[in-house]
Amino acid sequence: MSVSATQLCITVQAQGLPRPADSWATSLIQSRNPAPPFPALVATAKSRLLASDWTTAGLLDANSTISFPANIASANVQQTRLSHNVYVQVLDIENLSKSRWEQVEELEAIERGEQTRGREIIRLPTGNDDNEVSDIGSTQATQALGATQIGGRQAAANAAAAKNWTHRLVIQDCKGQKVFGLELGRIDRISIGSTNIGEKALIKAGTSIARGTLLLEPTNCQFFGGKVEVWQKDWLEKRLGRLKEAAAVSDPQANARR
Amino acid sequence: MRILCVAEKNSISKAVASILSGDTYQTRNTGNQYVKNYTFDFNFQQWGPSSVTMTAVSGHITTLDVTAANKHWEHPPPETLFTCPVRFVTPEDKQSIADNIASQARYCQALCIWTDCDREGEFIGSSIVDAAKKGNPRIQVKRAHFSNIEPAHIMQAVSRLGELDYKQVAAVAARMELDLRTGYAFTRFLTLGLRPLGGPLSGNTISYGSCQFPTLGFVVDRYFKVKSFVPEPFWSIKVSHTKDGITANFSWFRNRLFDRASVIILYERCLAAKRATVKKVQEKPTKKWKPLPLTTIEFQKVATRLLQMTGQQAMSVAENLYNKGFISYPRTETDRFDKGMDLQGLVRKQIPSDRWGRYANDLLNGAFQRPRDGRHDDKAHPPIHPVTFAAPTVLNDQERRVYEFVVRRFLACCSDDAKGMATDIEIEYGEERFNAHGIIVLERNYLDVYIYDKWSDSAELPKFTIGERFEPTEALMTEGKTAAPGYLTEADLIALMDANGIGTDATMAEHIQKIQEREYVCAVSRGNRGNRGNRGANEGDGDAPAGRGGRGGRRGRGGRGGGAADGGSRGSNSVKEFIPTRLGVALIQGFDRMEFDNSLGKPFLRKEFEAKMKAICEARTTKDAVVRETLRQYADVFSISQERFSVLKTACREYVFDQHGV
């Protein structure tokens, strides 16, 4: 064998990701026959890692999967700091700057195939009504749709993120321990629509932990991208229901009406 | 030469005759009591010395209609209305007017059209040409272009006669054909189809109009938005600091968050930091911009908000003022004044006013500034502006209010922006940022005459310097709750129609009036809505506006409650909001639930058609192509509606009769 599993693991680690387990690397190498060039192999290893659930046993090297301290989620500790780097994956994301109901209304409009731009109601492309668009008069609408067409209907929900938006993530270390991550300083790549469920990140040593919540800033965390396809799909499908439920819970009158 | 001039209304005819003749015209009666013939001599550049007969029509003199074979509701079936023959006819009450034109044309070599300069006016002009040619097939035709009846303007118009624009005529003809066919087809289909449900549906005409339904759709959409709204609590942090006896209130950069625990964490960190640091102190000049020149849509929005009248009332008052020569043509999309206009001359005419005369005088003594230029220009009419001074004594109450607004708006346009000084102070407290904002108004300028805008000093801020550290006097975590949006006001509705291409600036107010007359929607005074939580879609049922025209208009529709919610508030000055009736909700829900791409309650189909009318005017397409295409679209919708008619019936049972799951 020309490539050693150790070599592959070291290279992946050198690129900032956690070091995979030797056994995982070995089976990856063996599954590729004839062996591809080394850079291609590294790329494959990285993309598989980013698409995997990092709590899976035997995936990561035990030494690179240091977890959060056991008491991290304690709400009694007003302020402490993370003593070491921790690799994590994102399980959930909320935009705390928008009411749930506002988000429900946006999602329902998109389900109806509409989006509003200011006061104008725009019909979103469904993929099969292109030929219904006549060439006269609808040019404006077509142009407006151009931008959203790329990402389809889902992207339409992801309007330009505001500078003062505050998101809260649920993140999970490689041992399965979950903790909230609150955006203390705006991190541009975090937003609903661009942050995927299962996305991977590194939380750096020194990060503040307040009342069981990690306070994230651009300088104390690094996002690698990636997603776990089934989690993402499930999250998207259930989002509307979750938001509706959460909005209703926060409204005592609605509860009384039930 | 003998010349025939024809205006759109008698008042314009009389005004133009008086200007051209120098008040030496003779008046003759015609077969119609509202229309006179004015005769005088005039020396045309075009035709030389001529004897002129100036007359008028009274709006449209032709109407599009189906033939006798399609007059019956029951037969042939409504879908035939998409293809059956239609023709222009002269209604009985307009016959004498058409006859007058034909008989006058017999003695004349040329015809000059003086109808209002917009699409409808162009179409009426073409009907006048047709009527004249019945008397004299070889009559020569010219068109006068004018936008108000100020003498110098009229003299200029008569020296530059042009041609009728048949592209605009074609666009109106397309609109008339579409409205006729779709209106008849869907109205008959809905009325006959829903009649078996009984109750209020058994005797009423369920009228359809391709603008009315999307307009109703907006009202119903908002109604459900309000009704289904779920309030949610949110939390925020407020910081204030008192220094030198002055208190500055700082607001949180994050504004508010919908999670209490997160705000507690951030708030605690502010408190733990104890002291805040001043990061930015900025003082810079600021302005409040004077308004843009007045368009019809803007005028209607302001009128419904500030002048206590409906859009339609405001338009008819403005039209009276135009007919009397006090203001320019009130149907315009233009929000920029032509560079060549003598604006100062128009300002000068306002000096006699004892209310804004001094202000006008100050403008002429050096304060005058060119108005801002908006981005719209319909190339036909200038923004709405006063043409001459109207003494308050010659106007009735409503006219006075509208005229005053038009004048103040115009003088504001010719003024300088209001100027002030804005102060921004930004602090960092813990990791959180806060901001305080203050304004001091230095020069009021246009605000002195434009009493509808408010801009005043905010509370004074104490002096801070960058880097200064202080312990805030107070830092509070606050809690609030989101509130449902209000129902649509007329200004909201006009703005929605405008943004979504429903109707034109000239017709929006009519559509809004129509959906009220049809009892699809009722207007209720804001703040007079009583127990909002329990309101169903029945408000105002039975509050039938008088004068429903048309067939089968049995009054006293079913439904409960009704009337009381609105009756008491009629005539009060508060802003009106639109709430759909049960029937209105049922119709929109019914069509929406049929789930086809082009629900009649959505604006998309009509918007496309309005754009196509514009395309006809710009010669990018033809009337025949547009009519064919658009009718095919509506006919498709019609056949789907027939197929899924049970969905609409179910919605009616649910909303009109309170029968669920039937």
Side-chain angles (χ1 to χ4, degrees):
Chain A
M1 196 192 303
S2 57
V3 178
S4 82
T6 312
Q7 210 182 341
L8 179 60
C9 292
I10 290 172
T11 312
V12 168
Q13 188 181 20
Q15 297 193 9
L17 291 173
R19 181 176 174 143
D22 276 7
S23 55
W24 181 82
T26 306
S27 71
L28 174 70
I29 294 164
Q30 283 168 355
S31 71
R32 307 296 299 266
N33 198 5
F38 187 64
L41 200 58
V42 172
T44 307
K46 276 171 65 181
S47 73
R48 290 211 185 157
L49 265 189
L50 290 177
S52 304
D53 172 2
W54 281 4
T55 65
T56 309
L59 175 69
L60 300 177
D61 183 87
N63 292 321
S64 68
T65 56
I66 305 171
S67 58
F68 290 126
N71 66 340
I72 186 169
S74 164
N76 296 328
V77 183
Q78 194 180 335
Q79 158 74 24
T80 176
R81 284 182 191 278
L82 198 61
S83 60
H84 48 264
N85 290 354
V86 179
Y87 284 104
V88 298
Q89 53 193 4
V90 175
L91 297 189
D92 192 10
I93 173 171
E94 288 171 277
N95 183 348
L96 300 182
S97 299
K98 283 186 173 185
S99 73
R100 282 92 176 173
W101 195 250
E102 183 183 351
Q103 300 177 62
V104 165
E105 286 181 334
E106 281 170 11
L107 285 178
E108 285 181 339
I110 290 165
E111 274 190 357
R112 286 196 304 271
E114 295 170 12
Q115 189 191 0
T116 51
R117 191 179 52 189
R119 289 194 180 89
E120 189 181 5
I121 304 165
I122 302 164
R123 216 163 13 147
L124 295 173
T126 51
N128 59 1
D129 61 357
D130 288 19
N131 37 9
E132 281 178 30
V133 178
S134 73
D135 26 24
I136 311 151
S138 49
T139 36
Q140 234 185 340
T142 316
Q143 278 164 1
L145 292 175
T148 58
Q149 220 144 14
I150 304 157
R153 292 188 167 190
Q154 196 55 48
N158 184 28
K163 266 204 305 213
N164 67 345
W165 275 1
T166 304
H167 295 87
R168 184 170 68 177
L169 309 178
V170 173
I171 53 185
Q172 183 182 41
D173 66 17
C174 303
K175 296 270 157 45
Q177 191 171 192
K178 293 177 206 168
V179 62
F180 281 129
L182 182 66
E183 222 179 358
L184 185 68
R186 181 80 184 99
I187 299 165
D188 289 335
R189 65 176 294 160
I190 294 185
S191 77
I192 291 171
S194 65
T195 301
N196 290 315
I197 306 306
E199 173 154 2
K200 308 298 187 269
L202 174 69
I203 311 296
K204 295 177 184 165
T207 300
S208 287
I209 307 164
R211 305 250 179 235
T213 296
L214 283 162
L215 302 180
L216 305 179
E217 294 174 86
T219 50
N220 67 16
C221 55
Q222 185 186 354
F223 283 80
F224 302 117
K227 69 174 158 189
V228 177
E229 203 63 57
V230 285
W231 296 354
Q232 170 78 4
K233 188 165 168 284
D234 184 66
W235 185 87
L236 283 176
E237 280 168 2
K238 294 182 180 154
R239 179 161 177 241
L240 182 58
R242 260 194 329 269
L243 285 167
K244 278 185 169 173
E245 206 167 296
V249 165
S250 68
D251 173 19
Q253 277 175 350
N255 282 332
R257 280 201 297 268
R258 271 153 200 254
Chain B
M1 288 280 275
R2 293 180 69 100
I3 312 293
L4 175 62
C5 292
V6 186
E8 192 166 320
K9 323 167 195 61
N10 195 66
S11 60
I12 300 289
S13 160
K14 186 176 178 183
V16 172
S18 138
I19 293 164
L20 297 184
S21 69
D23 273 330
T24 58
Y25 56 86
Q26 288 186 311
T27 308
R28 303 216 159 83
N29 284 329
T30 70
N32 183 293
Q33 64 176 119
Y34 302 110
V35 174
K36 309 278 183 231
N37 291 343
Y38 304 102
T39 57
F40 55 92
D41 293 332
F42 186 75
N43 189 354
F44 287 91
Q45 250 176 36
Q46 195 112 21
W47 298 299
S50 308
S51 78
V52 182
T53 300
M54 176 109 212
T55 185
V57 292
S58 174
H60 282 273
I61 52 170
T62 56
T63 166
L64 193 64
D65 207 354
V66 295
T67 57
N70 283 86
K71 289 274 186 198
H72 298 286
W73 281 50
E74 280 78 10
H75 185 83
E79 57 266 33
T80 58
L81 289 158
F82 286 104
T83 50
C84 73
V86 292
R87 63 203 164 122
F88 280 101
V89 292
T90 303
E92 222 169 289
D93 59 329
K94 299 294 171 74
Q95 194 59 53
S96 60
I97 297 176
D99 290 348
N100 178 45
I101 290 169
S103 64
Q104 291 300 324
R106 221 162 278 147
Y107 314 110
C108 294
Q109 286 83 50
L111 167 67
C112 183
I113 304 291
W114 286 85
T115 49
D116 295 346
C117 291
D118 57 14
R119 270 189 217 161
E120 296 295 318
E122 223 61 21
F123 183 88
I124 295 168
S126 81
S127 321
I128 293 169
V129 172
D130 293 344
K133 287 197 166 163
K134 280 193 182 137
N136 177 0
R138 287 174 302 118
I139 198 162
Q140 191 190 346
V141 180
K142 287 285 163 194
R143 207 276 191 244
H145 291 105
F146 66 106
S147 63
N148 64 65
I149 49 173
E150 193 264 326
H153 180 77
I154 291 296
M155 293 309 284
Q156 207 171 49
V158 79
S159 69
R160 286 193 221 147
L161 298 176
E163 307 297 328
L164 264 183
D165 179 358
Y166 274 91
K167 297 191 295 294
Q168 292 190 50
V169 174
V172 173
R175 203 246 323 130
M176 291 171 109
E177 182 166 350
L178 180 86
D179 286 351
L180 175 79
R181 291 183 186 277
T182 60
Y184 272 15
F186 280 103
T187 299
R188 291 183 187 180
F189 164 64
L190 289 173
T191 304
L192 298 178
L194 295 176
R195 190 167 283 170
L197 294 182
L201 296 173
S202 62
N204 273 344
T205 298
I206 311 296
S207 141
Y208 168 83
S210 60
C211 284
Q212 284 169 54
F213 261 51
T215 306
L216 172 61
F218 293 133
V219 175
V220 172
D221 265 9
R222 176 61 67 91
Y223 171 76
F224 278 109
K225 221 173 178 169
V226 175
K227 219 181 129 195
S228 58
F229 185 83
V230 177
E232 286 171 72
F234 57 80
W235 291 266
S236 185
I237 303 173
K238 285 206 167 21
V239 172
S240 67
H241 187 61
T242 307
K243 189 181 167 186
D244 309 328
I246 309 168
T247 300
N249 292 309
F250 291 89
S251 50
W252 197 19
F253 183 67
R254 293 185 208 266
N255 185 20
R256 61 190 192 184
L257 296 183
F258 288 86
D259 179 69
R260 184 165 177 269
S262 299
V263 178
I264 289 179
I265 290 171
L266 299 171
Y267 175 61
E268 262 186 0
R269 297 176 74 81
C270 291
L271 297 184
K274 288 213 166 57
R275 283 149 78 87
T277 308
V278 177
K279 288 302 216 189
K280 194 176 103 182
V281 177
Q282 194 175 55
E283 271 205 352
K284 61 174 180 200
T286 183
K287 282 180 181 181
K288 185 169 173 66
W289 286 6
K290 62 188 180 181
L292 280 171
L294 189 60
T295 63
T296 304
I297 287 179
E298 194 54 30
F299 166 64
Q300 291 182 22
K301 284 198 266 185
V302 175
T304 60
R305 237 167 7 100
L306 300 172
L307 306 182
Q308 287 96 41
M309 40 186 99
T310 67
Q312 192 163 39
Q313 284 169 336
M315 281 314 288
S316 81
V317 172
E319 242 159 77
N320 284 342
L321 289 168
Y322 160 73
N323 288 338
K324 292 178 181 172
F326 294 133
I327 67 171
S328 63
Y329 191 58
R331 300 184 192 281
T332 174
E333 293 169 29
T334 308
D335 53 10
R336 57 203 306 172
F337 282 104
D338 190 82
K339 295 276 181 288
M341 260 181 86
D342 178 16
L343 298 174
Q344 303 217 31
L346 293 170
V347 172
R348 185 166 297 118
K349 296 203 167 142
Q350 296 301 327
I351 289 178
S353 165
D354 53 11
R355 299 188 60 197
W356 52 77
R358 272 244 315 264
Y359 188 89
N361 201 37
D362 289 347
L363 287 184
L364 294 173
N365 288 330
F368 178 88
Q369 297 271 326
R370 251 206 76 77
R372 291 164 60 198
D373 282 337
R375 281 174 301 153
H376 305 93
D377 193 343
D378 63 14
K379 307 279 184 203
H381 298 288
I384 305 172
H385 64 272
V387 174
T388 59
F389 177 67
T393 47
V394 302
L395 304 175
N396 68 31
D397 177 55
Q398 284 197 328
E399 288 171 340
R400 222 171 5 249
R401 269 183 281 153
V402 169
Y403 181 74
E404 174 176 355
F405 170 70
V406 170
V407 174
R408 287 186 184 275
R409 175 80 169 217
F410 174 71
L411 294 176
C413 285
C414 297
S415 309
D416 204 352
D417 297 326
K419 288 170 185 168
M421 188 61 81
T423 309
D424 276 289
I425 298 164
E426 200 177 293
I427 59 168
E428 196 175 70
Y429 186 29
E431 287 108 345
E432 297 305 294
R433 283 191 288 151
F434 297 83
N435 177 73
H437 182 74
I439 282 177
I440 296 167
V441 179
L442 300 174
E443 295 174 39
R444 288 181 50 77
N445 296 329
Y446 89 89
L447 291 170
D448 283 333
V449 71
Y450 199 62
I451 54 182
Y452 318 95
D453 268 6
K454 301 275 176 278
W455 201 44
S456 52
D457 293 357
S458 58
E460 193 187 350
L461 293 176
K463 288 270 174 263
F464 286 99
T465 44
I466 293 181
E468 182 179 340
R469 288 169 62 79
F470 62 88
E471 196 168 328
T473 316
E474 197 171 51
L476 292 172
M477 184 167 148
T478 60
E479 184 175 347
K481 206 165 212 208
T482 54
Y487 296 109
L488 289 180
T489 63
E490 186 159 0
D492 294 335
L493 192 49
I494 290 170
L496 274 170
M497 294 171 78
D498 184 29
N500 290 287
I502 299 304
T504 63
D505 51 352
T507 59
M508 286 176 190
E510 289 167 30
H511 300 312
I512 294 174
Q513 189 65 30
K514 266 274 158 56
I515 58 172
Q516 294 176 76
E517 282 168 16
R518 301 298 184 196
E519 297 174 13
Y520 297 156
V521 153
C522 55
V524 175
S525 285
R526 175 170 282 175
N528 197 17
R529 281 183 272 139
N531 47 341
R532 196 159 99 181
N534 302 322
R535 293 170 73 88
N538 64 323
E539 270 71 29
D541 263 5
D543 175 36
R548 291 172 42 88
R551 313 154 267 241
R554 176 136 66 90
R555 282 199 48 179
R557 294 149 32 73
R560 328 167 290 210
D566 191 32
S569 62
R570 274 274 154 89
S572 91
N573 281 346
S574 72
V575 173
K576 294 268 201 298
E577 293 177 319
F578 292 121
I579 296 176
T581 61
R582 292 164 161 260
L583 178 59
V585 171
L587 290 172
I588 295 301
Q589 285 283 303
F591 278 108
D592 279 358
R593 287 178 188 171
M594 288 184 198
E595 290 195 343
F596 44 85
D597 271 355
N598 285 316
S599 167
L600 294 178
K602 300 282 182 202
F604 310 121
L605 264 184
R606 180 69 195 195
K607 177 186 201 166
E608 211 178 308
F609 177 65
E610 300 270 358
K612 286 177 184 171
M613 287 210 289
K614 212 165 197 164
I616 297 177
C617 291
E618 290 164 7
R620 286 186 282 119
T621 183
T622 64
K623 178 203 153 196
D624 287 349
V626 169
V627 168
R628 202 179 333 114
E629 260 173 38
T630 309
L631 282 178
R632 187 174 45 83
Q633 289 176 318
Y634 278 92
D636 285 350
V637 171
F638 187 88
S639 67
I640 301 174
S641 306
Q642 274 181 318
E643 259 168 53
R644 306 187 194 164
F645 193 61
S646 61
V647 176
L648 181 61
K649 280 187 176 168
T650 307
C652 285
R653 286 196 193 97
E654 183 178 337
Y655 290 102
V656 182
F657 301 98
D658 259 339
Q659 298 167 351
H660 295 268
V662 178

